Structure formats: structure tokens, C-alpha cells
Amino acid sequence: MPKLSNHTKAALFTENIIEQHVLRRENATVVQRLDYTLRRPRNDFGKPYGRMSGSELIVATLIGTNDTREYYERLVSNDSQIFSIVFNATYDNNNFLTSYDSAMVVAGYVVDIVEHYDDDEAKEGNQMSLEFSFLLTSITYIGEEERHLRLNFVN
């Protein structure tokens, strides 16, 4: 298992940060890795046409052993799910989210979950990591001054 870090560069929330503005640090998990691919067809001249297609978003995160229930409930659900990934978040003295550099709100379906547990890491308080795959239906990027860019996908 690779060395994991508790330094928070990205935080994962199970809420939509566009609709719910009051978020607490305790409700976030540390994102260890984030991978996804977007595709858009191009003609022979390199000009884009058609809609962009998404793929799976793979997120690896550190969690406590009691926090897995939320993710498994989303795995068995047939409804579209929403997660928010916040980059370089800052919190106030009461651990409420006050600002962030940028964020992504992703919508889609949890399709796979893999748990990793390392006894040595657990002794250091890291407990376990959870890696889940998410079939994307849309991504909303949130940048400076709350500017939004929403991409819908054909899967």
C-alpha cells in the first residue's frame, strides 16, 4: 500500500456544495487520488463535434471504519448521486467551510467500491482507505468568484 497522507489538499463531501453552503470539516474525507477522463469526438480536421462523453471517476480517500455505510448505501441505490470535491479548503474556528480555491460537483452512479486496510497505517491513526468508482453523468466546475461550468455527458 502506498504511503498515505492526512494533509488535506482536496476534501470529499457527500453533499452538493452549490445547494448546501454550511459544511463542516467532520463531514469531509481526505482525497488521496482522483482520476477521470473526458472525451469529445473530432473530425478529420480536428474540429470537435457532438457531445462530450464522460467515463468513470475514481476517488481514493481516507476514512474511518464507521464512515463506509454512506458509500455502500449509494452503491446499492439506483438513483443518481452527488458528491462535492473541494480543493484547498479553509475552515473557521468552529470547523465550518469558509472558502476554497476551486471545486467540482459530480453527479452519477457509484459502481464499485474497494477497501484497503493496512495494520501499520491504522496504528498511526489513518484507519483505512476507500476507493470507489463513479459513473459520471455530469461535472460542475466551480472556480473563482463562484463561476460555474457544467458539463453533461453521454454514457
Side-chain angles (χ1 to χ4, degrees):
M1 179 181 231
K3 183 70 175 159
L4 302 174
S5 170
N6 272 325
H7 178 71
T8 306
K9 290 186 180 178
L12 175 73
F13 291 94
T14 55
E15 294 92 6
N16 182 343
I17 63 169
I18 296 171
E19 296 174 0
Q20 184 172 342
H21 298 286
V22 180
L23 298 172
R24 294 185 58 88
R25 180 182 292 205
E26 294 83 28
N27 297 339
T29 57
V30 177
V31 174
Q32 294 294 315
R33 193 181 82 247
L34 175 71
D35 301 303
Y36 68 99
T37 304
L38 304 177
R39 292 180 188 85
R40 184 153 186 211
R42 296 185 178 270
N43 64 18
D44 293 338
F45 301 106
K47 298 281 187 188
Y49 68 92
R51 292 185 59 178
M52 194 174 303
S53 64
S55 68
E56 284 185 338
L57 166 74
I58 299 173
V59 178
T61 183
L62 282 179
I63 61 167
T65 54
N66 295 330
D67 299 331
T68 59
R69 180 179 176 187
E70 172 81 22
Y71 298 99
Y72 282 104
E73 286 175 354
R74 290 172 180 245
L75 176 66
V76 298
S77 173
N78 291 329
D79 299 325
S80 180
Q81 305 293 316
I82 292 181
F83 290 96
S84 298
I85 301 168
V86 177
F87 300 96
N88 296 320
T90 55
Y91 302 90
D92 64 13
N93 292 336
N94 296 320
N95 286 327
F96 287 103
L97 179 67
T98 56
S99 67
Y100 50 86
D101 288 348
S102 60
M104 293 176 14
V105 176
V106 295
Y109 304 90
V110 177
V111 293
D112 188 34
I113 295 178
V114 178
E115 292 181 22
H116 301 281
Y117 182 81
D118 187 341
D119 221 15
D120 294 331
E121 295 292 332
K123 290 175 187 171
E124 296 175 16
N126 290 339
Q127 291 121 2
M128 65 188 319
S129 68
L130 182 74
E131 181 175 301
F132 66 91
S133 298
F134 195 69
L135 183 62
L136 293 171
T137 57
S138 73
I139 296 179
T140 303
Y141 295 99
I142 305 170
E144 294 177 352
E145 299 173 4
E146 294 291 319
R147 283 185 261 177
H148 296 72
L149 170 65
R150 183 180 172 105
L151 302 173
N152 293 311
F153 307 117
V154 177
N155 287 318

